[in-house]
């Protein structure tokens, strides 16, 4: 695997940890992770695409090695994350970048694509999320994300992650070992827990409008493509069908054997994303 680089980027109020892949002279590509995850989720995909792209994979504030919010009630929401995304584009002098967003990362991409920063994106690949999040799926996410588990051994953490994120779909042992190392931190008591601030779920209670954005979605004019796990409870068939009839009217690909959300880490996944990026940017 191509070796990544790591940077700390200052915004007005935060320090963002960013994993970088490839030559900075290559075409720019941003990959943004899901709610309780980190930018390291894209290691396999980013490494493979780094032959053509300069890829940045940020840790959202409150996750991974980025700073946590002192005012979680206002900081942990989509429009704030989108502001940080624009700050990153400015920092890396990316006038226009392709965007791959998983779950929350897809919501951030759609927010940018529907607003004043739409011209900063060249295309949008949305991984298993739509402009509407069903209540049952929201309730499930709150249940697993609200209470941080603790583990005595790293192997216990890996077993928990394999079970909790089984809907990611088939992945090899190397993926789960790497995911475990980039997903945990030590507690004050020396045990392992997950690498995020439990306050990140505040957006589900305080900012429900962030999870129902059909009006903004209809404004998107960028070339788009949507990926769905066939068993996903977040991106239901009805929501996907409506997405394809409104706004950017994206193409769609369904991944067998996956729920929410496909890892995009397997060889076939990577080939698909590479082809989509080429085709979308030719539109």
């Amino acid at each position: 695997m191509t070796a990544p680089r790591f940077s700390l980027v200052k915004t007005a109020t935060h320090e963002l940890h960013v994993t970088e892949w490839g030559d900075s002279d290559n075409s720019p590509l941003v990959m943004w992770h899901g709610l309780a995850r980190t930018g390291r989720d894209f290691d396999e995909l980013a490494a493979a695409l780094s032959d053509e792209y300069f890829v940045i994979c940020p840790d959202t504030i409150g996750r991974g090695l980025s700073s946590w919010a002192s005012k979680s009630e206002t900081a942990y929401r989509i429009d704030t994350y989108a502001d940080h995304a624009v700050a990153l584009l400015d920092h890396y002098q990316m006038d226009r970048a392709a965007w791959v967003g998983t779950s929350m990362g897809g919501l951030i991409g759609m927010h940018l694509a529907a607003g004043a920063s739409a011209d900063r994106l060249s295309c949008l690949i949305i991984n298993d999320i739509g402009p509407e999040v069903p209540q049952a799926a929201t309730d499930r996410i709150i249940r697993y994300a609200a209470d941080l588990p603790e583990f005595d051994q790293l192997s216990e953490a890996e077993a928990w992650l394999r079970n909790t994120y089984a809907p990611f779909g088939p992945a090899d042992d190397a993926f789960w070992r790497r995911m475990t190392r980039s997903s945990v931190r030590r507690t004050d008591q020396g045990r392992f827990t997950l690498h995020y601030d439990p306050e990140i779920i505040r957006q589900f209670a305080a900012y429900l409008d962030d999870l129902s954005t059909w009006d903004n979605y209809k404004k998107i004019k960028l070339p788009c493509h949507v990926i769905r796990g066939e068993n996903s409870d977040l991106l239901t068939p009805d929501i996907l069908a409506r997405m394809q009839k409104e706004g950017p009217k994206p193409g769609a690909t369904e991944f067998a054997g996956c729920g929410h959300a496909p890892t995009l880490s397997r060889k076939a996944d990577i080939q698909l994303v590479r082809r989509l990026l080429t085709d979308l940017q030719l539109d």
Side-chain angles (χ1 to χ4, degrees):
M1 180 182 289
T2 302
R5 303 179 301 277
F6 305 99
S7 291
L8 296 173
V9 178
K10 294 278 191 178
T11 66
T13 54
H14 283 279
E15 182 179 77
L16 299 181
H17 177 259
V18 184
T19 306
E20 305 168 357
W21 301 85
D23 192 318
S24 60
D25 290 332
N26 289 348
S27 297
L29 171 60
V30 179
M31 297 184 183
W32 210 292
H33 63 81
L35 176 74
R37 303 299 313 135
T38 78
R40 298 301 304 275
D41 282 9
F42 293 110
D43 274 13
E44 291 80 8
L45 178 61
L49 296 182
S50 65
D51 61 342
E52 292 186 61
Y53 296 92
F54 175 45
V55 189
I56 61 169
C57 304
D59 295 345
T60 311
I61 58 169
R63 289 85 164 169
L65 296 176
S66 290
S67 58
W68 288 17
S70 57
K71 297 181 178 179
S72 58
E73 66 275 10
T74 56
Y76 293 146
R77 58 175 308 186
I78 297 299
D79 61 351
T80 302
Y81 305 150
D83 289 343
H84 291 160
V86 173
L88 286 177
L89 292 173
D90 291 342
H91 173 82
Y92 286 101
Q93 299 180 352
M94 293 179 171
D95 293 332
R96 293 185 83 220
W99 186 283
V100 175
T102 292
S103 193
M104 181 190 73
L107 291 177
I108 299 167
M110 287 188 282
H111 183 94
L112 292 169
S117 298
D119 61 350
R120 302 299 298 272
L121 302 185
S122 59
C123 67
L124 181 59
I125 297 177
I126 303 165
N127 186 20
D128 211 67
I129 195 74
E132 175 185 344
V133 179
Q135 186 62 49
T138 300
D139 292 343
R140 176 181 63 79
I141 291 169
I142 291 174
R143 283 195 300 273
Y144 84 72
D147 296 320
L148 291 177
E150 293 189 2
F151 315 98
D152 291 319
Q153 306 291 335
L154 200 58
S155 57
E156 296 173 11
E158 181 176 331
W160 186 92
L161 288 163
R162 283 176 179 259
N163 179 65
T164 302
Y165 290 104
F168 277 13
D172 60 24
D173 289 342
F175 172 88
W176 292 111
R177 287 194 296 269
R178 193 265 309 150
M179 180 179 170
T180 302
R181 290 194 301 273
S182 61
S183 296
V184 299
R185 59 182 172 84
R186 291 279 189 182
T187 67
D188 291 343
Q189 293 73 39
R191 304 184 77 202
F192 289 106
T193 191
L194 301 181
H195 216 324
Y196 65 84
D197 180 356
E199 291 290 301
I200 61 174
I201 66 167
R202 275 184 174 270
Q203 74 180 88
F204 292 107
Y207 302 108
L208 291 177
D209 288 349
D210 286 354
L211 305 179
S212 182
T213 58
W214 284 109
D215 288 345
N216 277 342
Y217 176 77
K218 293 174 184 177
K219 299 175 185 176
I220 297 175
K221 295 181 172 58
L222 288 175
C224 296
H225 193 92
V226 179
I227 293 169
R228 177 180 183 269
E230 68 171 344
N231 302 315
S232 176
D233 61 343
L234 242 74
L235 181 57
T236 65
D238 288 347
I239 293 172
L240 177 57
R242 181 175 173 184
M243 290 177 75
Q244 292 188 278
K245 294 176 182 176
E246 298 182 8
K249 299 180 180 178
T253 301
E254 187 169 85
F255 279 25
C258 295
H260 180 78
T263 65
L264 308 182
S265 66
R266 298 169 297 180
K267 184 176 181 180
D269 306 348
I270 293 166
Q271 291 173 340
L272 171 70
V273 174
R274 187 187 294 275
R275 177 176 59 78
L276 289 174
L277 287 168
T278 299
D279 293 347
L280 290 171
Q281 292 181 97
L282 289 176
D283 286 354

Coordinates of all heavy atoms in Angstrom, one line a residue, residues 26-83:
N26 N -1.5 16.1 -8.5 CA -2.6 15.3 -9.1 C -3.9 16.0 -9.0 O -4.1 17.0 -8.2 CB -2.6 13.9 -8.5 CG -1.5 13.0 -8.8 OD1 -0.7 13.3 -9.8 ND2 -1.3 11.9 -8.1
S27 N -4.9 15.5 -9.6 CA -6.3 16.0 -9.5 C -6.8 15.9 -8.1 O -6.6 14.8 -7.5 CB -7.2 15.3 -10.5 OG -6.9 15.5 -11.8
P28 N -7.4 16.9 -7.5 CA -7.8 16.9 -6.1 C -9.1 16.0 -5.9 O -10.0 16.0 -6.7 CB -8.1 18.3 -5.8 CG -8.4 19.0 -7.1 CD -7.6 18.2 -8.1
L29 N -9.1 15.3 -4.8 CA -10.2 14.4 -4.4 C -10.3 14.4 -2.9 O -9.3 14.2 -2.2 CB -9.9 13.0 -4.9 CG -10.8 11.9 -4.4 CD1 -12.3 12.1 -4.8 CD2 -10.4 10.5 -5.0
V30 N -11.5 14.7 -2.4 CA -11.8 14.7 -1.0 C -12.6 13.5 -0.7 O -13.6 13.2 -1.4 CB -12.6 16.0 -0.5 CG1 -12.9 15.9 1.0 CG2 -11.8 17.2 -0.9
M31 N -12.3 12.7 0.4 CA -13.1 11.6 0.9 C -13.4 11.9 2.3 O -12.6 12.1 3.1 CB -12.3 10.3 0.8 CG -11.9 9.9 -0.6 SD -11.1 8.3 -0.7 CE -10.7 8.1 -2.4
W32 N -14.8 11.9 2.6 CA -15.2 12.3 3.9 C -16.0 11.1 4.5 O -16.9 10.6 3.9 CB -16.1 13.5 3.9 CG -16.0 14.3 5.1 CD1 -16.5 14.0 6.4 CD2 -15.3 15.6 5.3 NE1 -16.2 14.9 7.3 CE2 -15.5 16.0 6.7 CE3 -14.6 16.5 4.5 CZ2 -15.0 17.2 7.2 CZ3 -14.2 17.7 5.0 CH2 -14.3 18.0 6.4
H33 N -15.7 10.8 5.7 CA -16.2 9.6 6.4 C -17.6 9.8 7.0 O -18.2 10.8 7.0 CB -15.2 9.2 7.5 CG -15.0 10.2 8.6 ND1 -15.9 10.3 9.6 CD2 -14.1 11.1 8.8 CE1 -15.5 11.3 10.4 NE2 -14.4 11.8 9.9
G34 N -18.1 8.7 7.7 CA -19.4 8.7 8.3 C -19.3 9.2 9.8 O -18.3 9.5 10.3
L35 N -20.5 9.1 10.4 CA -20.7 9.8 11.7 C -19.7 9.5 12.7 O -19.1 10.4 13.3 CB -22.1 9.4 12.2 CG -22.4 10.0 13.6 CD1 -22.8 11.5 13.5 CD2 -23.6 9.2 14.2
A36 N -19.5 8.3 13.1 CA -18.6 7.9 14.2 C -17.3 7.3 13.7 O -16.7 6.5 14.4 CB -19.3 6.9 15.2
R37 N -16.9 7.6 12.5 CA -15.7 7.0 11.9 C -14.6 8.0 11.8 O -14.7 9.1 12.3 CB -16.1 6.4 10.6 CG -17.2 5.4 10.6 CD -16.9 4.2 11.5 NE -15.6 3.7 11.1 CZ -14.6 3.3 12.1 NH1 -14.9 3.5 13.4 NH2 -13.5 2.9 11.7
T38 N -13.6 7.7 11.0 CA -12.4 8.6 10.8 C -12.0 8.5 9.3 O -12.5 7.7 8.6 CB -11.2 8.2 11.7 OG1 -10.5 7.1 11.1 CG2 -11.6 7.9 13.1
G39 N -11.2 9.5 8.9 CA -10.7 9.5 7.6 C -9.9 8.3 7.2 O -9.7 8.0 6.0
R40 N -9.4 7.5 8.2 CA -8.6 6.3 7.8 C -9.5 5.2 7.3 O -9.0 4.2 6.7 CB -7.9 5.8 9.1 CG -6.9 6.8 9.7 CD -5.8 7.1 8.7 NE -5.1 6.0 8.2 CZ -4.0 5.4 8.8 NH1 -3.6 5.9 10.0 NH2 -3.4 4.4 8.2
D41 N -10.8 5.3 7.3 CA -11.7 4.3 6.7 C -11.4 4.2 5.2 O -11.7 3.1 4.6 CB -13.2 4.7 6.9 CG -13.7 4.4 8.3 OD1 -12.8 4.0 9.2 OD2 -14.9 4.5 8.5
F42 N -10.9 5.2 4.6 CA -10.7 5.2 3.1 C -9.3 4.7 2.7 O -8.9 4.9 1.6 CB -10.9 6.6 2.6 CG -12.3 7.0 2.7 CD1 -12.7 8.1 3.6 CD2 -13.3 6.5 1.9 CE1 -14.0 8.5 3.6 CE2 -14.6 6.9 2.0 CZ -15.0 7.9 2.9
D43 N -8.5 4.2 3.7 CA -7.1 3.9 3.4 C -6.9 3.1 2.1 O -6.1 3.4 1.2 CB -6.4 3.1 4.5 CG -5.9 4.0 5.6 OD1 -6.2 5.2 5.6 OD2 -5.2 3.5 6.5
E44 N -7.7 2.0 1.9 CA -7.5 1.1 0.7 C -7.9 1.9 -0.6 O -7.1 1.8 -1.6 CB -8.3 -0.1 0.9 CG -7.9 -1.1 1.9 CD -8.3 -0.7 3.3 OE1 -9.1 0.2 3.5 OE2 -7.8 -1.3 4.3
L45 N -9.0 2.6 -0.5 CA -9.5 3.3 -1.7 C -8.5 4.4 -2.0 O -8.1 4.6 -3.2 CB -10.9 3.8 -1.5 CG -11.5 4.6 -2.6 CD1 -11.6 3.8 -3.9 CD2 -12.9 5.1 -2.1
A46 N -8.1 5.2 -1.0 CA -7.3 6.4 -1.3 C -5.9 5.9 -1.8 O -5.3 6.6 -2.7 CB -7.2 7.2 0.0
A47 N -5.4 4.9 -1.2 CA -4.1 4.4 -1.6 C -4.1 4.0 -3.1 O -3.2 4.3 -3.9 CB -3.6 3.2 -0.8
A48 N -5.2 3.3 -3.5 CA -5.3 2.8 -4.9 C -5.4 4.0 -5.9 O -4.8 4.0 -7.0 CB -6.4 1.9 -5.0
L49 N -6.2 5.0 -5.5 CA -6.5 6.1 -6.4 C -5.4 7.2 -6.3 O -5.4 8.2 -7.1 CB -7.8 6.8 -6.0 CG -9.1 5.9 -6.2 CD1 -10.3 6.7 -5.8 CD2 -9.1 5.3 -7.6
S50 N -4.4 7.0 -5.4 CA -3.4 8.1 -5.3 C -2.4 8.1 -6.5 O -1.6 9.0 -6.6 CB -2.6 7.8 -4.0 OG -1.8 6.6 -4.1
D51 N -2.6 7.1 -7.4 CA -1.8 7.2 -8.7 C -2.3 8.3 -9.6 O -1.5 8.8 -10.4 CB -1.8 5.8 -9.4 CG -3.2 5.3 -9.8 OD1 -4.2 5.9 -9.2 OD2 -3.3 4.4 -10.6
E52 N -3.6 8.6 -9.5 CA -4.2 9.6 -10.3 C -4.6 10.9 -9.6 O -4.7 12.0 -10.2 CB -5.4 9.1 -11.0 CG -5.2 8.0 -12.0 CD -6.5 7.6 -12.7 OE1 -7.1 8.5 -13.3 OE2 -7.0 6.5 -12.6
Y53 N -4.8 10.8 -8.3 CA -5.4 11.9 -7.5 C -4.6 12.2 -6.3 O -3.9 11.4 -5.7 CB -6.8 11.4 -7.0 CG -7.8 11.2 -8.1 CD1 -8.0 9.9 -8.7 CD2 -8.6 12.2 -8.6 CE1 -8.9 9.7 -9.7 CE2 -9.5 12.0 -9.7 CZ -9.6 10.7 -10.2 OH -10.5 10.5 -11.2
F54 N -4.7 13.5 -5.9 CA -4.2 13.9 -4.6 C -5.4 13.8 -3.7 O -6.4 14.6 -3.8 CB -3.7 15.4 -4.7 CG -3.3 15.9 -3.3 CD1 -2.5 15.2 -2.4 CD2 -3.6 17.2 -3.0 CE1 -2.1 15.7 -1.2 CE2 -3.3 17.7 -1.7 CZ -2.5 17.0 -0.8
V55 N -5.4 12.9 -2.8 CA -6.5 12.6 -1.9 C -6.3 13.1 -0.5 O -5.3 12.8 0.1 CB -6.8 11.0 -1.9 CG1 -8.1 10.7 -1.2 CG2 -6.7 10.4 -3.3
I56 N -7.3 13.8 0.0 CA -7.3 14.1 1.4 C -8.5 13.5 2.1 O -9.6 13.5 1.6 CB -7.3 15.7 1.6 CG1 -8.5 16.4 1.1 CG2 -6.0 16.3 1.1 CD1 -8.7 17.8 1.5
C57 N -8.2 12.9 3.3 CA -9.2 12.2 4.1 C -9.2 12.8 5.5 O -8.5 12.4 6.3 CB -8.9 10.7 4.1 SG -8.8 9.9 2.5
P58 N -10.0 13.8 5.7 CA -10.0 14.5 7.1 C -10.7 13.6 8.1 O -11.6 12.8 7.8 CB -10.8 15.8 6.8 CG -11.0 15.8 5.3 CD -11.0 14.5 4.8
D59 N -10.3 13.8 9.4 CA -11.1 13.4 10.5 C -12.0 14.6 10.9 O -11.5 15.7 11.1 CB -10.2 13.1 11.7 CG -9.3 11.9 11.5 OD1 -9.5 11.1 10.6 OD2 -8.4 11.8 12.3
T60 N -13.3 14.4 10.9 CA -14.2 15.5 11.3 C -13.9 15.8 12.7 O -13.5 15.0 13.5 CB -15.7 15.0 11.1 OG1 -15.9 14.4 9.9 CG2 -16.6 16.1 11.3
I61 N -14.2 17.1 13.1 CA -14.0 17.5 14.5 C -14.8 16.5 15.4 O -15.9 16.1 15.0 CB -14.4 18.9 14.8 CG1 -15.9 19.2 14.4 CG2 -13.5 19.9 14.1 CD1 -16.5 20.5 14.8
G62 N -14.2 16.2 16.5 CA -14.8 15.2 17.5 C -14.5 13.8 17.1 O -15.0 12.9 17.8
R63 N -13.8 13.5 16.1 CA -13.4 12.2 15.7 C -11.9 12.1 15.5 O -11.2 13.0 15.1 CB -14.1 11.8 14.4 CG -15.6 11.6 14.4 CD -16.3 12.9 14.3 NE -17.7 12.7 13.9 CZ -18.6 13.7 14.0 NH1 -18.2 14.9 14.2 NH2 -19.9 13.5 13.7
G64 N -11.4 10.8 15.6 CA -10.0 10.5 15.3 C -9.1 11.5 16.1 O -9.2 11.7 17.3
L65 N -8.2 12.1 15.3 CA -7.2 12.9 15.9 C -7.5 14.4 15.8 O -6.6 15.3 16.1 CB -5.8 12.6 15.3 CG -5.3 11.2 15.6 CD1 -4.0 10.9 14.9 CD2 -5.2 11.0 17.1
S66 N -8.6 14.8 15.2 CA -9.0 16.2 15.2 C -9.5 16.6 16.6 O -9.9 15.8 17.4 CB -10.2 16.4 14.1 OG -9.7 16.2 12.8
S67 N -9.5 17.9 16.8 CA -9.9 18.5 18.1 C -11.4 18.2 18.3 O -12.2 18.1 17.4 CB -9.6 19.9 18.2 OG -10.2 20.7 17.1
W68 N -11.8 18.2 19.6 CA -13.2 18.1 20.0 C -13.8 19.5 20.2 O -13.0 20.4 20.4 CB -13.3 17.3 21.3 CG -13.0 15.8 21.1 CD1 -12.4 15.2 20.1 CD2 -13.3 14.8 22.1 NE1 -12.3 13.8 20.3 CE2 -12.9 13.6 21.5 CE3 -14.0 14.8 23.3 CZ2 -13.1 12.3 22.2 CZ3 -14.2 13.6 24.0 CH2 -13.7 12.4 23.4
A69 N -15.1 19.6 20.1 CA -15.8 20.8 20.2 C -16.0 21.2 21.7 O -16.4 20.3 22.5 CB -17.1 20.8 19.5
S70 N -15.8 22.4 22.1 CA -16.1 22.9 23.4 C -17.6 23.2 23.5 O -18.2 23.2 24.6 CB -15.2 24.1 23.8 OG -15.4 25.2 22.9
K71 N -18.2 23.6 22.4 CA -19.6 23.9 22.3 C -20.3 22.9 21.4 O -20.6 23.2 20.2 CB -19.8 25.3 21.9 CG -19.3 26.4 22.8 CD -19.5 27.8 22.4 CE -19.0 28.8 23.4 NZ -19.2 30.2 22.9
S72 N -20.5 21.7 21.8 CA -21.0 20.6 21.0 C -22.4 20.9 20.4 O -22.7 20.5 19.4 CB -21.0 19.3 21.7 OG -21.8 19.4 22.9
E73 N -23.2 21.7 21.2 CA -24.5 22.0 20.7 C -24.6 22.8 19.4 O -25.5 22.8 18.7 CB -25.3 22.7 21.8 CG -24.8 24.1 22.1 CD -23.7 24.1 23.2 OE1 -23.2 23.1 23.5 OE2 -23.4 25.2 23.6
T74 N -23.5 23.5 19.1 CA -23.5 24.3 17.9 C -22.4 23.8 16.8 O -22.6 24.0 15.6 CB -23.2 25.8 18.1 OG1 -21.9 25.9 18.9 CG2 -24.3 26.4 19.0
A75 N -21.4 23.1 17.3 CA -20.3 22.7 16.4 C -20.6 21.4 15.7 O -20.1 21.2 14.6 CB -19.0 22.6 17.2
Y76 N -21.3 20.5 16.3 CA -21.5 19.2 15.7 C -22.7 19.2 14.9 O -23.8 18.6 15.2 CB -21.5 18.1 16.8 CG -20.2 17.9 17.5 CD1 -20.2 17.5 18.9 CD2 -19.0 18.0 16.9 CE1 -19.0 17.3 19.6 CE2 -17.8 17.8 17.6 CZ -17.8 17.4 18.9 OH -16.7 17.2 19.6
R77 N -22.6 19.8 13.7 CA -23.7 19.8 12.7 C -23.2 20.0 11.3 O -22.0 20.4 11.1 CB -24.7 20.9 13.1 CG -24.2 22.3 13.2 CD -25.3 23.3 13.4 NE -26.4 23.1 12.5 CZ -27.4 23.9 12.4 NH1 -27.5 25.0 13.2 NH2 -28.4 23.7 11.5
I78 N -24.0 19.7 10.4 CA -23.6 19.6 9.0 C -23.0 20.9 8.4 O -22.0 20.9 7.7 CB -24.7 19.1 8.0 CG1 -25.1 17.7 8.5 CG2 -24.3 19.1 6.6 CD1 -24.0 16.6 8.4
D79 N -23.6 22.1 8.7 CA -23.2 23.3 8.1 C -21.8 23.7 8.7 O -20.9 24.3 8.0 CB -24.2 24.4 8.3 CG -24.5 24.8 9.7 OD1 -24.1 24.0 10.6 OD2 -25.2 25.8 10.0
T80 N -21.5 23.3 10.0 CA -20.2 23.6 10.5 C -19.1 22.7 9.8 O -18.0 23.2 9.5 CB -20.2 23.3 12.0 OG1 -21.1 24.2 12.7 CG2 -18.8 23.6 12.6
Y81 N -19.5 21.4 9.6 CA -18.5 20.5 9.0 C -18.3 21.0 7.5 O -17.1 20.9 7.0 CB -19.1 19.1 8.9 CG -19.5 18.5 10.2 CD1 -20.5 17.6 10.3 CD2 -18.8 18.9 11.4 CE1 -20.9 17.0 11.5 CE2 -19.2 18.3 12.6 CZ -20.2 17.4 12.7 OH -20.6 16.8 13.9
A82 N -19.3 21.6 6.9 CA -19.1 22.1 5.5 C -18.2 23.3 5.5 O -17.4 23.5 4.6 CB -20.5 22.4 4.9
D83 N -18.3 24.1 6.5 CA -17.4 25.3 6.6 C -15.9 24.8 6.8 O -15.0 25.3 6.2 CB -17.7 26.1 7.9 CG -19.0 26.9 7.7 OD1 -19.5 27.1 6.5 OD2 -19.6 27.4 8.7

